Amino acid sequence: MGEWRINPWQSLKTVLRPLDPVLLLILVALMVYAVVLMVSASSDRIESQLIHMALALALMWVVACIPSQRLLSLALPLYLVGVALLVAVLLFGEVSKGAQRWLNIGVTRIQPSELMKIAMPLMLAWFFQKREGHIGWREFIVASALFAAPVALIVKQPDLGTSLLVAAAGLYVIFFAGLSWKLILPALVAGIVAISAVAMFGDTLCQPDFAWPGLRDYQKQRVCTLLDPTRDPLNKGFHIIQSTIAIGSGGVDGKGWMQGTQTHLSFLPERHTDFIFAVLAEEFGLIGALLLLLMYFALLARGAYIAAIAPTLGTRLLAGAVTMIFFTYVFVNMGMVSGILPVVGVPLPFISYGGTALVTLCLGVGILMSIRHGKLALKR
Amino acid sequence: MSAYGPAGEKNQRYGYRLLAACAFMLAGFIVLVMRLYVLQVERHAYYSTRAEDNRIALLPIVPHRGSISDRNGAVLARNYVAYTLEITPSRTELELEETIKQLATFIEIEPKDKRRFYKLLAESRKFESVPIRTRLSDDEVARFIAERYRFPGVEVQARLFRDYPQGTTASHIVGYIGRINDRDVEQIEKRQATGNYRNTEHIGKSGVEAFYEDALHGTTGIEEVEVNVRGRAVRRLSSVPAVVGSSLELTIDIELQKVAEAAFGARRGALAALDPATGEVLALVSTPTFDPNLFVDGISSHEWKKLNDSPDHPLLNRAIYSAYPPGSTFKPFMAMAALNSGKRVLGQAIYDPGYFDLGGHRFMDDKVGGHGMVDLHRSLVVSCNTYYYMLAHDLGIDSIAAFMAKLGLGSRTGLDLPGEAEGVLPSPEWKRRRFSNPAAQRWQGGDTISVGIGQGYNAYTPIQMATALSVLVNKGKFFRPHVARYVVDSHGQRREVEQGPVSQVALKPEHVAAVKRGMEDVNKVGTGARAFAGAPYTSGGKTGTAQVYSLRGRGYAGRTNERLRDHSWFIAYAPADEPKIVLAVLVENGGFGAVSAAPIARQVMDFHLSGQRANQPAAEDEEASEAEDDDPDADEHGGE
């Protein structure tokens, strides 16, 4: 290039090059699936979801075009802005549905915790890259502090789903950075013990006068409802009961597109957002669900591949963490809809209705693409 | 990897971590697939059923209740549609009290509506809707529809209401319906009719409404609908229509009933009028009456108290439930027993010295000095007590009881109305059962003598007396008395309720004729003569007086003297040759039967046989005639 005359074909290739065709193909497949499901779940929302998709893809493209090192250098300012906004939410945020999550910035309302899903892994990856070669216990203590501050702020809002995802994003980076198994294993064991304790002694723990340290009452209720949905079949347990009925009644080949009775007679709650997987499983059955899992599997495999080939420590940590975040979305959402995890507000990635989550996820894909593009550029 | 990567060892460590992460993700996928397999393959059948249960609701279609009419087609009970405002407490968002308060801002809700609502709420089953207002005006319906979105769980329903256009007339026969309560539910369960009563809210509580409940109710249909999460039907899948309840055509002539009820005026009493040739009840009166319409929406406690606490007991059906000593109206049946047994033969006479002596105890005749020579015919016309004292003594109580039982006295006639009483046909056997004290249990000779003139222990309901007289004038043919003639099903098929006599009492026609002659002369020259003077038809009758003061007078102590007066009886038939109507009239505390009961019988017969209506109530000249009856020279009044 550098010539005065522009070769349109050449420039198009330049602009398109950062887009990973594999990721793009998977993404488009997922979005087509999402539109098909949306027609059944909530057909009047298709138009706005298409706009969300276009916007998310555009942002993804922009991110993909930014070199990954440049992205990492944006980590600190993004992180600082994110934390500042979280503090602002705590002080001036708007309360909606019992939680203080939104910040009104005049033009629109934003949810700063969403930004943290990207800023957190970016920040930690940048930090570890900065300290590359000197990573010891001091670094992990600093990383823990960088991790803990925003998570604590989000827990306080309170927003269990988002804090879980932000915390997971941070922990994945720390894990990939090489935190000793000696620390990871006890934490894992403690977590498993805590979960089994809740499962076994749920009846006592769920007594109304038994307060759980660190959790709000509604969060406690969610866990208790999962343990025994029939406890409250008309309110909180209703969601889980109806979504498992929807999934189970779908059978192997499903009831057919637009034929889901649970979906169309409104037994399914939140059917266009968090519970859209139940619509899929009811109408397209096990086959449809496995098809979706296959798409996710391809996405994660591609992510893992990019993480494996990533050129620098920062990009490796970032790619690994982003891939794991995708997995976390998938597992937590499908787990809660099928009744093996408590109902936390985590959408089904790329499928659930809603612009914010879609943009965040596509930014993640953009990061993966940028890392891959950087690697290709190096090769050339 | 490339030269730009960190040291090899570090890189390898990262590779392991990445592998561990991949293993972790793979494990997650396996967990998800397993979970899906469990839900969608292993437990698919269970969840399919659950989904169908969610989706499909079986809605009962409540049948319309059958109507009731009299023998000429006059409507006695019918349905009409009206709008009610109903609350399903389990589905309201606000507190009940608050919901009602807000509804009251644009729909008139009176304190009595609220009281009834809470009363019904306490009785209603879960998830049932309970009416807060009935009979909404079109205006009110429109106002509610506009505000409806604010009130989940509150609906306007078009409901069928029961209407009794005749009001208080014949209310004891027609009866009434009321909301199903716990006791009704028990009964329904016992009848294994729970399915047929799904969503039915009312049930017959008394009268033919209760007796013919099964026929009137009809068969509940079922509609299979697809419902959404709010329980609202979105699509009909299939339905089995309801079968409308059968309608009833009664034997009652409502016009005759009106005449009969009017004839009682304000007096308490009862009347049973039968067609002896069929057993059809032409009129069945119990006064005072009540308005069955009060019960339809649930009676208010004030109204209920008024009916229930009244000393006149308007809810009581005296014609079939209250048993009174028959007094001298028993004598025709005694006479029949005498001829039938052969203890008396026609033409045989006894001497009445004015008393009958049994073991030193004298049973007095009403006429001082006695009636002299008295045969069976004269014994009826002058109502000679001594004749019947002797007769009872000669027949013996066992033989009397056996004969009277054949006429239906002392047992339920089998009338098709609920709550019929047995009455008392005394016998040594009965006395043993009735009393616990051994001394009281023993039958005394004097007991038999009292029974002979219809006093003492025996007590019969007006319907029993009318039935027994029917059997007599029918020469022994026993028809079960009945108030329903036809049950007409939804296809218009008429089923006759009663066909033919149920039994035949062996009575000789010449004996029947002799007793009838006596009764006919009662109406010509005896105690019935004044009441039947100038009647355009022939008739037979017998007056009677049931003593009150010694039996139940105490219950009325403190009330006016009127309550201590004797009950007044009159039994009659007409025309004499081929009776078309037989009746028994009882006026509580009416004194002599000739004075208060017989004129009522005359009015009823006049209307039935010649369509004439009386211009004045029968009781109007009561005071004047009573003075006349006190005249000691009125020989023929005898013992009544």
Side-chain angles (χ1 to χ4, degrees):
Chain A
M1 305 225 204
E3 284 145 300
W4 187 238
R5 250 188 313 160
I6 292 170
N7 180 343
W9 179 236
Q10 196 61 39
S11 48
L12 187 68
K13 260 175 105 177
T14 316
V15 178
L16 285 176
R17 189 171 291 137
L19 295 177
D20 176 19
V22 179
L23 282 177
L24 194 62
L25 189 73
I26 297 168
L27 212 52
V28 169
L30 280 167
M31 284 178 173
V32 169
Y33 211 169
V35 170
V36 168
L37 288 172
M38 203 60 70
V39 170
S40 184
S42 180
S43 56
D44 49 343
R45 287 190 171 87
I46 289 174
E47 210 170 305
S48 60
Q49 186 66 355
L50 284 172
I51 294 170
H52 293 153
M53 286 172 174
L55 184 72
L57 286 173
L59 285 171
M60 177 195 77
W61 194 357
V62 169
V63 171
C65 292
I66 303 171
S68 49
Q69 290 308 321
R70 186 77 167 275
L71 280 176
L72 282 171
S73 66
L74 285 172
L76 189 60
L78 265 180
Y79 179 83
L80 291 177
V81 169
V83 172
L85 286 175
L86 283 176
V87 173
V89 166
L90 203 62
L91 297 178
F92 322 107
E94 286 180 3
V95 178
S96 134
K97 288 185 189 169
Q100 201 166 3
R101 294 172 188 169
W102 300 90
L103 193 62
N104 198 331
I105 53 165
V107 197
T108 178
R109 297 192 312 167
I110 58 166
Q111 207 177 347
S113 50
E114 201 63 33
L115 175 69
M116 240 26 231
K117 287 178 188 169
I118 299 292
M120 168 75 87
L122 210 56
M123 177 66 200
L124 289 173
W126 173 80
F127 170 73
F128 281 118
Q129 178 165 287
K130 199 106 179 139
R131 305 293 301 158
E132 191 174 6
H134 313 280
I135 298 174
W137 60 271
R138 274 191 213 86
E139 279 65 34
F140 282 108
I141 287 179
V142 175
S144 303
L146 291 172
F147 158 78
V151 171
L153 285 170
I154 300 171
V155 167
K156 212 153 166 64
Q157 285 183 356
D159 186 343
L160 197 62
T162 309
S163 53
L164 192 91
L165 288 166
V166 172
L171 287 173
Y172 293 145
V173 178
I174 294 174
F175 165 76
F176 284 123
L179 183 67
S180 170
W181 284 108
K182 283 179 203 155
L183 284 172
I184 297 168
L185 283 178
L188 265 180
V189 171
I192 290 167
V193 167
I195 288 169
S196 5
V198 166
M200 283 176 76
F201 305 109
D203 277 353
T204 335
L205 295 174
C206 288
Q207 294 302 314
D209 45 348
F210 193 95
W212 290 13
L215 289 181
R216 296 264 174 135
D217 196 49
Y218 84 95
Q219 292 165 336
K220 170 189 158 189
Q221 284 308 320
R222 282 181 180 177
V223 177
C224 291
T225 303
L226 178 81
L227 294 173
D228 182 11
T230 55
R231 177 194 302 278
D232 192 8
L234 284 176
N235 296 313
K236 291 156 195 137
F238 186 82
H239 291 198
I240 297 177
I241 291 173
Q242 295 302 340
S243 69
T244 46
I245 290 175
I247 296 170
S249 64
V252 174
D253 50 358
K255 296 176 187 169
W257 190 42
M258 314 278 283
Q259 303 294 310
T261 56
Q262 291 283 102
T263 303
H264 290 277
L265 298 171
S266 308
F267 286 97
L268 213 51
E270 302 288 331
R271 59 183 184 278
H272 59 285
T273 57
D274 289 358
F275 282 79
I276 196 163
F277 177 68
V279 176
L280 183 156
E282 184 183 26
E283 300 195 344
F284 300 120
L286 185 61
I287 295 169
L290 290 178
L291 179 67
L292 181 74
L293 279 174
L294 195 69
M295 291 178 186
Y296 284 135
F297 187 81
L299 177 76
L300 299 182
R302 186 67 177 170
Y305 166 75
I306 292 171
I309 63 158
T312 63
L313 178 64
T315 52
R316 270 196 301 245
L317 296 182
L318 195 54
V322 166
T323 306
M324 289 289 281
I325 291 170
F326 288 165
F327 165 74
T328 309
Y329 267 98
V330 171
F331 187 76
V332 171
N333 178 274
M334 285 167 73
M336 84 184 189
V337 174
S338 64
I340 51 175
L341 290 177
V343 178
V344 290
V346 173
L348 188 63
F350 309 106
I351 305 284
S352 285
Y353 174 84
T356 315
L358 193 63
V359 165
T360 309
L361 288 158
C362 283
L363 289 180
V365 178
I367 289 171
L368 286 179
M369 287 180 168
S370 150
I371 292 169
R372 176 189 152 275
H373 183 56
K375 170 73 181 173
L376 288 182
L378 276 175
K379 263 188 181 165
R380 242 178 279 121
Chain B
M1 300 253 132
S2 71
Y4 289 88
E9 188 239 334
K10 277 241 156 169
N11 200 11
Q12 203 182 2
R13 195 154 133 200
Y14 173 77
Y16 284 138
R17 293 270 157 140
L18 195 57
L19 273 179
C22 286
F24 181 68
M25 290 192 284
L26 199 63
F29 268 63
I30 290 171
V31 167
L32 288 179
V33 171
M34 274 165 51
R35 176 66 177 167
L36 289 176
Y37 180 81
V38 168
L39 290 182
Q40 300 196 288
V41 179
E42 279 186 4
R43 309 195 65 193
H44 169 61
Y46 166 75
Y47 284 115
S48 284
T49 318
R50 292 281 307 266
E52 287 296 283
D53 288 351
N54 265 349
R55 176 174 84 96
I56 291 169
L58 295 177
L59 300 181
I61 310 169
V62 178
H64 291 190
R65 196 175 175 84
S67 60
I68 303 174
S69 61
D70 85 338
R71 65 185 302 130
N72 299 316
V75 177
L76 307 183
R78 65 183 169 201
N79 304 317
Y80 68 95
V81 177
Y83 291 104
T84 61
L85 187 64
E86 303 187 3
I87 302 179
T88 309
S90 59
R91 282 176 33 206
T92 53
E93 269 170 14
L94 300 167
E95 294 290 313
L96 268 184
E97 192 61 40
E98 184 59 27
T99 304
I100 295 171
K101 215 172 106 193
Q102 294 203 13
L103 286 170
T105 57
F106 57 95
I107 285 175
E108 197 180 326
I109 294 173
E110 288 177 28
K112 78 170 199 291
D113 293 320
K114 264 166 81 169
R115 275 200 302 275
R116 187 185 54 201
F117 174 80
Y118 283 110
K119 188 174 146 227
L120 293 174
L121 184 68
E123 294 167 358
S124 69
R125 287 160 284 180
K126 248 187 183 175
F127 304 117
E128 247 184 3
S129 66
V130 180
I132 175 77
R133 256 295 306 278
T134 53
R135 296 162 218 237
L136 295 178
S137 67
D138 290 350
D139 232 32
E140 286 173 313
V141 172
R143 256 178 293 171
F144 173 74
I145 296 295
E147 301 281 337
R148 179 172 152 185
Y149 68 96
R150 280 170 50 203
F151 299 97
V154 183
E155 309 249 3
V156 168
Q157 298 271 18
R159 296 263 182 208
L160 283 175
F161 281 87
R162 201 64 163 166
D163 177 37
Y164 301 104
Q166 306 292 343
T168 59
T169 305
S171 54
H172 289 103
I173 306 165
V174 176
Y176 53 86
I177 60 168
R179 277 179 82 92
I180 293 177
N181 61 26
D182 291 346
R183 237 177 316 143
D184 299 321
V185 169
E186 247 171 66
Q187 282 301 314
I188 290 168
E189 278 167 5
K190 224 178 270 167
R191 275 160 47 199
Q192 302 194 310
T194 311
N196 202 29
Y197 277 82
R198 203 156 286 146
N199 266 27
T200 297
E201 292 185 324
H202 294 92
I203 194 167
K205 298 276 188 180
S206 79
V208 292
E209 288 273 33
F211 196 92
Y212 288 98
E213 171 62 28
D214 268 351
L216 289 167
H217 179 269
T219 309
T220 299
I222 282 186
E223 191 172 27
E224 198 186 53
V225 293
E226 192 168 76
V227 294
N228 65 12
V229 69
R230 261 160 244 103
R232 200 155 278 178
V234 292
R235 191 155 64 101
R236 192 163 89 168
L237 302 174
S238 73
S239 75
V240 179
V243 179
V244 179
S246 300
S247 52
L248 281 185
E249 194 182 304
L250 300 189
T251 59
I252 302 294
D253 176 354
I254 196 69
E255 294 306 321
L256 183 69
Q257 179 83 17
K258 280 179 191 161
V259 166
E261 287 182 14
F264 275 85
R267 290 171 294 178
R268 281 165 286 111
L271 174 147
L274 304 177
D275 179 347
T278 55
E280 288 177 359
V281 177
L282 300 170
L284 192 72
V285 175
S286 175
T287 58
T289 62
F290 60 92
D291 184 356
N293 289 303
L294 291 174
F295 290 87
V296 172
D297 303 350
I299 187 164
S300 71
S301 54
H302 168 72
E303 294 283 359
W304 172 252
K305 252 205 163 112
K306 224 166 76 183
L307 288 176
N308 211 33
D309 296 352
S310 161
D312 291 343
H313 303 295
L315 293 176
L316 182 70
N317 188 349
R318 292 171 162 81
I320 64 167
Y321 184 74
S322 298
Y324 307 85
S328 298
T329 58
F330 200 53
K331 286 173 182 164
F333 305 112
M334 283 296 292
M336 201 63 230
L339 295 170
N340 208 48
S341 67
K343 291 279 178 190
R344 294 287 184 277
V345 291
L346 293 174
Q348 180 186 5
I350 55 115
Y351 179 73
D352 168 20
Y355 62 88
F356 173 71
D357 191 279
L358 181 78
H361 184 272
R362 276 192 176 184
F363 290 84
M364 300 306 292
D365 196 292
D366 280 12
K367 185 172 179 181
V368 181
H371 292 281
M373 291 305 290
V374 179
D375 65 358
L376 185 123
H377 180 81
R378 189 151 183 266
S379 77
L380 287 169
V381 178
V382 302
S383 201
C384 171
N385 281 353
T386 309
Y387 186 90
Y388 289 95
Y389 293 145
M390 289 176 180
L391 178 57
H393 184 67
D394 289 352
L395 280 169
I397 188 63
D398 289 328
S399 146
I400 295 172
F403 183 77
M404 297 306 166
K406 281 193 240 169
L407 299 180
L409 294 174
S411 59
R412 296 191 183 94
T413 60
L415 178 76
D416 47 356
L417 282 176
E420 197 188 350
E422 278 185 348
V424 177
L425 173 58
S427 67
E429 161 67 25
W430 167 82
K431 208 177 179 192
R432 251 197 315 282
R433 272 187 285 120
R434 168 70 178 77
F435 296 99
S436 51
N437 175 359
Q441 276 180 334
R442 204 174 49 248
W443 186 263
Q444 309 281 353
D447 292 342
T448 309
I449 309 304
S450 303
V451 165
I453 59 159
Q455 304 293 352
Y457 293 115
N458 53 8
Y460 307 113
T461 60
I463 187 73
Q464 280 174 350
M465 293 302 286
T467 306
L469 184 57
S470 283
V471 176
L472 196 148
V473 302
N474 239 345
K475 302 180 188 74
K477 254 191 215 135
F478 192 118
F479 288 95
R480 189 181 68 98
H482 52 282
V483 296
R485 237 174 146 194
Y486 296 107
V487 175
V488 185
D489 72 14
S490 55
H491 305 295
Q493 208 77 275
R494 293 159 76 89
R495 183 172 62 79
E496 217 168 331
V497 169
E498 196 68 35
Q499 297 142 328
V502 287
S503 66
Q504 172 73 43
V505 186
L507 299 178
K508 286 211 173 80
E510 63 268 31
H511 294 163
V512 172
V515 174
K516 278 175 73 182
R517 269 200 305 279
M519 292 182 74
E520 280 148 28
D521 279 349
V522 168
N523 276 11
K524 276 184 203 142
V525 295
T527 47
R530 226 173 72 84
F532 280 85
Y537 48 83
T538 52
S539 65
K542 186 72 194 81
T543 55
T545 306
Q547 290 164 5
V548 174
Y549 62 92
S550 60
L551 297 170
R552 44 177 92 187
R554 262 181 283 272
Y556 293 119
R559 301 263 328 163
T560 63
N561 232 12
E562 196 245 45
R563 300 259 170 186
L564 300 176
R565 283 201 332 214
D566 294 341
H567 296 324
S568 161
W569 273 105
F570 189 68
I571 61 171
Y573 59 88
D577 292 338
E578 205 145 312
K580 286 200 169 68
I581 182 170
V582 163
L583 50 78
V585 183
L586 181 116
V587 179
E588 281 188 10
N589 314 114
F592 285 118
V595 179
S596 42
I600 292 172
R602 170 73 193 271
Q603 286 194 18
V604 171
M605 286 179 162
D606 277 359
F607 182 78
H608 188 65
L609 296 173
S610 46
Q612 277 174 21
R613 272 176 208 272
N615 339 332
Q616 68 231 11
E620 222 183 60
D621 58 347
E622 188 182 354
E623 293 308 316
S625 52
E626 202 163 17
E628 214 172 296
D629 282 320
D630 287 341
D631 184 358
D633 293 338
D635 171 276
E636 298 301 330
H637 285 160
E640 263 268 350

